[in-house]
Amino acid sequence: MAVLTIEDVSKKFAETEIIKHLNLQVNEGEFVSILGPSGSGKSTLFSLIGGILTPDSGAIMLQGEKINSKTGSISYMPQSPSLLPWRTVLQNVLLSQELRGPKDEKKAEEMIEKAGLGAYIHAYPDELSGGMKQRVSFIRALLSPQPLILLDEPFSALDELTRLDMQKWLLSIWEENRRTVLFITHNLEEALFLSDRIIILSSKPAEVVADYKIPFKRPRAEELFLENEFLEWKREIYHKIKEVME
């Protein structure tokens, strides 16, 4: 069943076309990554889905309901953790439930414990490392009642080892919940490791130029990075992105 359907959506700023006749579908329980050149409109697309921007034409449908210009319909995790410094880890995690209801404090505590943050449940953000803050931010998104989570390069500011740890942790948590995720990244290996599908966008104005179904079985381990099939997929998608940029 389609959770998100984008039908013939276009958006321009002044005379510059950012997105043109874009069509995209994300099905229930899918983890879909979006790759494309810098400035190709990926973040603009997220702003359209989140209702911050209004498309010039076309429709954005969430579970069959048109949500053009409608805020609060999706859960969003930005590049920075965006935790409130005066709230504890638990209070930050519960924020989305407080806004949308109902609040499930027991579930939140269980998720914090599974994230390895049990000792920090009453700590404040300035007491956490970058990776720990991202875990809190993701748990908050995961516990939100909305049917779709948008992740906008959430690991881009982390060092390589922390980033890999976060990818593995995210997959382990996602496997248990199977929430529907649309994920922006510039990291090809990250997209291959995490995703069921990878969408390639063209340069501005953005449109979908490729939609790859990733065949790797789940659950996935980091040994996947060294397998020949993984490297073959990496080469194919790399050349597609390079072709788009030329």
Side-chain angles (χ1 to χ4, degrees), residues 35 188-189 192 198 200 212 214 216 225-244:
L35 290 171
L188 178 48
E189 288 191 341
L192 280 168
I198 294 177
I200 308 294
Y212 294 98
I214 307 304
F216 309 131
F225 288 107
L226 303 176
E227 293 182 8
N228 286 334
E229 188 180 10
F230 185 92
L231 298 175
E232 288 169 8
W233 272 97
K234 182 180 176 181
R235 275 193 293 271
E236 179 173 342
I237 297 176
Y238 169 79
H239 287 302
K240 186 66 178 180
I241 294 173
K242 192 174 179 183
E243 176 187 312
V244 164

CSV table of all heavy atoms in Angstrom, one decimal, residues 35 188-189 192 198 200 212 214 216 225-244:
chain,number,residue,atom,x,y,z
A,35,LEU,N,19.1,10.0,-3.8
A,35,LEU,CA,20.4,10.5,-4.2
A,35,LEU,C,20.3,11.4,-5.4
A,35,LEU,O,19.4,11.3,-6.2
A,35,LEU,CB,21.3,9.3,-4.6
A,35,LEU,CG,21.8,8.3,-3.5
A,35,LEU,CD1,22.5,7.1,-4.1
A,35,LEU,CD2,22.7,9.0,-2.5
A,188,LEU,N,26.7,7.1,-1.1
A,188,LEU,CA,26.2,6.0,-1.9
A,188,LEU,C,26.2,4.7,-1.1
A,188,LEU,O,25.3,3.9,-1.1
A,188,LEU,CB,27.0,5.9,-3.2
A,188,LEU,CG,26.7,4.7,-4.2
A,188,LEU,CD1,25.2,4.6,-4.4
A,188,LEU,CD2,27.5,4.9,-5.4
A,189,GLU,N,27.3,4.4,-0.4
A,189,GLU,CA,27.4,3.2,0.4
A,189,GLU,C,26.3,3.2,1.5
A,189,GLU,O,25.7,2.1,1.8
A,189,GLU,CB,28.8,3.1,1.0
A,189,GLU,CG,29.9,2.7,0.1
A,189,GLU,CD,31.2,2.4,0.8
A,189,GLU,OE1,31.3,2.7,2.0
A,189,GLU,OE2,32.0,1.7,0.1
A,192,LEU,N,23.0,2.2,-0.1
A,192,LEU,CA,22.9,0.8,-0.5
A,192,LEU,C,22.8,0.0,0.8
A,192,LEU,O,22.0,-1.0,0.8
A,192,LEU,CB,24.2,0.4,-1.2
A,192,LEU,CG,24.3,0.7,-2.7
A,192,LEU,CD1,25.7,0.6,-3.2
A,192,LEU,CD2,23.3,-0.1,-3.5
A,198,ILE,N,16.5,2.9,-4.1
A,198,ILE,CA,17.2,4.1,-4.2
A,198,ILE,C,16.7,4.9,-5.4
A,198,ILE,O,16.6,4.3,-6.5
A,198,ILE,CB,18.7,3.8,-4.4
A,198,ILE,CG1,19.3,3.2,-3.1
A,198,ILE,CG2,19.5,5.1,-4.7
A,198,ILE,CD1,20.8,2.8,-3.2
A,200,ILE,N,17.2,8.1,-7.9
A,200,ILE,CA,18.2,9.1,-8.4
A,200,ILE,C,17.4,10.2,-9.0
A,200,ILE,O,16.6,10.1,-9.9
A,200,ILE,CB,19.1,8.4,-9.5
A,200,ILE,CG1,19.7,7.1,-8.9
A,200,ILE,CG2,20.2,9.4,-9.9
A,200,ILE,CD1,20.6,7.3,-7.8
A,212,TYR,N,15.9,2.2,-8.3
A,212,TYR,CA,16.6,0.9,-8.2
A,212,TYR,C,16.0,0.2,-7.0
A,212,TYR,O,15.9,0.7,-5.9
A,212,TYR,CB,18.1,1.1,-7.9
A,212,TYR,CG,18.9,1.7,-9.1
A,212,TYR,CD1,19.2,3.0,-9.1
A,212,TYR,CD2,19.3,0.9,-10.1
A,212,TYR,CE1,19.9,3.6,-10.1
A,212,TYR,CE2,20.0,1.4,-11.2
A,212,TYR,CZ,20.3,2.7,-11.2
A,212,TYR,OH,21.1,3.3,-12.2
A,214,ILE,N,16.8,-2.5,-4.4
A,214,ILE,CA,18.0,-3.1,-3.8
A,214,ILE,C,17.8,-4.5,-3.3
A,214,ILE,O,16.9,-4.7,-2.5
A,214,ILE,CB,18.6,-2.2,-2.7
A,214,ILE,CG1,18.8,-0.8,-3.2
A,214,ILE,CG2,19.9,-2.8,-2.2
A,214,ILE,CD1,19.6,-0.6,-4.4
A,216,PHE,N,19.5,-6.8,-1.5
A,216,PHE,CA,20.2,-7.5,-0.4
A,216,PHE,C,19.2,-7.9,0.7
A,216,PHE,O,18.3,-7.1,1.1
A,216,PHE,CB,21.2,-6.5,0.2
A,216,PHE,CG,22.2,-5.9,-0.8
A,216,PHE,CD1,22.4,-4.6,-0.8
A,216,PHE,CD2,22.8,-6.7,-1.7
A,216,PHE,CE1,23.3,-4.0,-1.7
A,216,PHE,CE2,23.7,-6.2,-2.7
A,216,PHE,CZ,23.9,-4.9,-2.7
A,225,PHE,N,29.5,-4.6,2.9
A,225,PHE,CA,30.3,-3.6,2.2
A,225,PHE,C,31.4,-4.2,1.3
A,225,PHE,O,31.8,-3.6,0.4
A,225,PHE,CB,30.9,-2.6,3.2
A,225,PHE,CG,29.9,-1.6,3.9
A,225,PHE,CD1,29.5,-1.8,5.2
A,225,PHE,CD2,29.4,-0.6,3.1
A,225,PHE,CE1,28.7,-0.9,5.8
A,225,PHE,CE2,28.5,0.3,3.7
A,225,PHE,CZ,28.1,0.1,5.1
A,226,LEU,N,31.8,-5.4,1.7
A,226,LEU,CA,33.0,-6.0,1.0
A,226,LEU,C,32.5,-7.0,0.0
A,226,LEU,O,33.4,-7.6,-0.7
A,226,LEU,CB,33.9,-6.7,2.1
A,226,LEU,CG,34.4,-5.8,3.2
A,226,LEU,CD1,35.2,-6.6,4.2
A,226,LEU,CD2,35.3,-4.7,2.6
A,227,GLU,N,31.2,-7.3,-0.1
A,227,GLU,CA,30.8,-8.3,-1.1
A,227,GLU,C,30.8,-7.8,-2.5
A,227,GLU,O,30.5,-6.6,-2.7
A,227,GLU,CB,29.4,-8.8,-0.7
A,227,GLU,CG,29.3,-9.6,0.6
A,227,GLU,CD,27.9,-10.1,1.0
A,227,GLU,OE1,27.0,-9.9,0.1
A,227,GLU,OE2,27.8,-10.6,2.1
A,228,ASN,N,31.1,-8.7,-3.5
A,228,ASN,CA,31.2,-8.3,-4.9
A,228,ASN,C,29.9,-7.7,-5.4
A,228,ASN,O,29.9,-6.7,-6.1
A,228,ASN,CB,31.5,-9.5,-5.7
A,228,ASN,CG,33.0,-9.9,-5.6
A,228,ASN,OD1,33.8,-9.0,-5.2
A,228,ASN,ND2,33.3,-11.1,-5.8
A,229,GLU,N,28.7,-8.3,-5.0
A,229,GLU,CA,27.4,-7.8,-5.4
A,229,GLU,C,27.2,-6.3,-5.0
A,229,GLU,O,26.7,-5.5,-5.7
A,229,GLU,CB,26.3,-8.6,-4.9
A,229,GLU,CG,24.9,-8.3,-5.6
A,229,GLU,CD,23.8,-9.1,-5.1
A,229,GLU,OE1,24.0,-9.9,-4.1
A,229,GLU,OE2,22.7,-9.0,-5.6
A,230,PHE,N,27.6,-6.0,-3.7
A,230,PHE,CA,27.5,-4.7,-3.2
A,230,PHE,C,28.4,-3.7,-4.1
A,230,PHE,O,27.9,-2.6,-4.4
A,230,PHE,CB,28.0,-4.6,-1.8
A,230,PHE,CG,27.8,-3.3,-1.1
A,230,PHE,CD1,26.6,-3.0,-0.4
A,230,PHE,CD2,28.8,-2.3,-1.1
A,230,PHE,CE1,26.5,-1.8,0.3
A,230,PHE,CE2,28.6,-1.1,-0.5
A,230,PHE,CZ,27.5,-0.8,0.2
A,231,LEU,N,29.6,-4.1,-4.4
A,231,LEU,CA,30.5,-3.3,-5.2
A,231,LEU,C,30.0,-3.1,-6.6
A,231,LEU,O,30.1,-2.0,-7.2
A,231,LEU,CB,31.9,-3.9,-5.2
A,231,LEU,CG,32.6,-4.0,-3.8
A,231,LEU,CD1,33.9,-4.7,-3.9
A,231,LEU,CD2,32.8,-2.6,-3.2
A,232,GLU,N,29.3,-4.1,-7.1
A,232,GLU,CA,28.8,-4.0,-8.5
A,232,GLU,C,27.6,-3.0,-8.5
A,232,GLU,O,27.5,-2.1,-9.4
A,232,GLU,CB,28.3,-5.3,-9.0
A,232,GLU,CG,29.4,-6.3,-9.3
A,232,GLU,CD,28.9,-7.7,-9.5
A,232,GLU,OE1,27.6,-7.9,-9.6
A,232,GLU,OE2,29.7,-8.6,-9.7
A,233,TRP,N,26.8,-3.0,-7.5
A,233,TRP,CA,25.7,-2.1,-7.3
A,233,TRP,C,26.2,-0.6,-7.1
A,233,TRP,O,25.7,0.3,-7.7
A,233,TRP,CB,24.8,-2.4,-6.2
A,233,TRP,CG,23.7,-3.4,-6.6
A,233,TRP,CD1,23.7,-4.7,-6.4
A,233,TRP,CD2,22.4,-3.0,-7.2
A,233,TRP,NE1,22.5,-5.2,-6.9
A,233,TRP,CE2,21.7,-4.2,-7.4
A,233,TRP,CE3,21.8,-1.8,-7.6
A,233,TRP,CZ2,20.4,-4.2,-7.9
A,233,TRP,CZ3,20.6,-1.9,-8.1
A,233,TRP,CH2,19.9,-3.1,-8.3
A,234,LYS,N,27.3,-0.5,-6.3
A,234,LYS,CA,27.9,0.8,-6.1
A,234,LYS,C,28.4,1.4,-7.4
A,234,LYS,O,28.2,2.6,-7.7
A,234,LYS,CB,29.0,0.6,-5.1
A,234,LYS,CG,29.7,1.9,-4.7
A,234,LYS,CD,30.8,1.7,-3.7
A,234,LYS,CE,31.6,3.0,-3.4
A,234,LYS,NZ,32.7,2.8,-2.5
A,235,ARG,N,29.1,0.5,-8.2
A,235,ARG,CA,29.6,1.0,-9.5
A,235,ARG,C,28.4,1.5,-10.4
A,235,ARG,O,28.5,2.5,-11.1
A,235,ARG,CB,30.4,-0.1,-10.2
A,235,ARG,CG,31.8,-0.2,-9.8
A,235,ARG,CD,32.6,-1.0,-10.7
A,235,ARG,NE,32.2,-2.4,-10.6
A,235,ARG,CZ,32.8,-3.3,-9.8
A,235,ARG,NH1,33.7,-3.0,-9.0
A,235,ARG,NH2,32.3,-4.6,-9.8
A,236,GLU,N,27.4,0.7,-10.5
A,236,GLU,CA,26.3,1.0,-11.4
A,236,GLU,C,25.6,2.3,-11.0
A,236,GLU,O,25.4,3.2,-11.9
A,236,GLU,CB,25.2,-0.1,-11.4
A,236,GLU,CG,24.0,0.2,-12.3
A,236,GLU,CD,23.1,-1.0,-12.4
A,236,GLU,OE1,23.5,-2.1,-12.1
A,236,GLU,OE2,21.9,-0.8,-12.8
A,237,ILE,N,25.3,2.5,-9.7
A,237,ILE,CA,24.7,3.7,-9.3
A,237,ILE,C,25.6,4.9,-9.4
A,237,ILE,O,25.2,6.0,-9.7
A,237,ILE,CB,24.1,3.5,-7.9
A,237,ILE,CG1,23.0,2.4,-7.9
A,237,ILE,CG2,23.5,4.8,-7.3
A,237,ILE,CD1,22.4,2.1,-6.6
A,238,TYR,N,26.9,4.7,-9.1
A,238,TYR,CA,27.9,5.8,-9.2
A,238,TYR,C,27.9,6.3,-10.6
A,238,TYR,O,27.9,7.5,-10.9
A,238,TYR,CB,29.2,5.3,-8.8
A,238,TYR,CG,30.4,6.2,-9.1
A,238,TYR,CD1,30.6,7.4,-8.4
A,238,TYR,CD2,31.1,6.0,-10.3
A,238,TYR,CE1,31.6,8.2,-8.7
A,238,TYR,CE2,32.2,6.9,-10.6
A,238,TYR,CZ,32.4,8.0,-9.8
A,238,TYR,OH,33.4,8.9,-10.2
A,239,HIS,N,27.9,5.4,-11.6
A,239,HIS,CA,28.0,5.8,-13.0
A,239,HIS,C,26.7,6.5,-13.4
A,239,HIS,O,26.7,7.5,-14.2
A,239,HIS,CB,28.3,4.6,-13.9
A,239,HIS,CG,29.7,4.1,-13.8
A,239,HIS,ND1,30.7,4.9,-14.1
A,239,HIS,CD2,30.2,2.9,-13.5
A,239,HIS,CE1,31.9,4.3,-13.9
A,239,HIS,NE2,31.6,3.0,-13.6
A,240,LYS,N,25.6,6.1,-12.8
A,240,LYS,CA,24.3,6.8,-13.1
A,240,LYS,C,24.3,8.2,-12.6
A,240,LYS,O,23.9,9.1,-13.3
A,240,LYS,CB,23.1,6.0,-12.5
A,240,LYS,CG,21.8,6.5,-12.9
A,240,LYS,CD,21.5,6.3,-14.4
A,240,LYS,CE,20.2,6.8,-14.9
A,240,LYS,NZ,20.0,6.6,-16.3
A,241,ILE,N,24.8,8.4,-11.4
A,241,ILE,CA,24.8,9.7,-10.8
A,241,ILE,C,25.8,10.6,-11.6
A,241,ILE,O,25.5,11.8,-11.9
A,241,ILE,CB,25.2,9.7,-9.3
A,241,ILE,CG1,24.1,9.0,-8.5
A,241,ILE,CG2,25.5,11.1,-8.8
A,241,ILE,CD1,24.5,8.7,-7.1
A,242,LYS,N,26.9,10.0,-12.0
A,242,LYS,CA,27.9,10.8,-12.8
A,242,LYS,C,27.3,11.2,-14.1
A,242,LYS,O,27.5,12.3,-14.6
A,242,LYS,CB,29.2,9.9,-13.0
A,242,LYS,CG,30.4,10.7,-13.6
A,242,LYS,CD,31.6,9.8,-13.6
A,242,LYS,CE,32.8,10.5,-14.2
A,242,LYS,NZ,34.0,9.6,-14.3
A,243,GLU,N,26.6,10.3,-14.7
A,243,GLU,CA,25.9,10.6,-16.0
A,243,GLU,C,24.9,11.8,-15.8
A,243,GLU,O,24.8,12.6,-16.7
A,243,GLU,CB,25.1,9.3,-16.5
A,243,GLU,CG,24.3,9.5,-17.7
A,243,GLU,CD,23.5,8.2,-17.9
A,243,GLU,OE1,24.0,7.1,-17.9
A,243,GLU,OE2,22.2,8.3,-18.1
A,244,VAL,N,24.2,11.8,-14.7
A,244,VAL,CA,23.2,12.8,-14.4
A,244,VAL,C,23.9,14.2,-14.3
A,244,VAL,O,23.4,15.2,-14.7
A,244,VAL,CB,22.4,12.5,-13.1
A,244,VAL,CG1,21.7,13.7,-12.6
A,244,VAL,CG2,21.4,11.4,-13.4
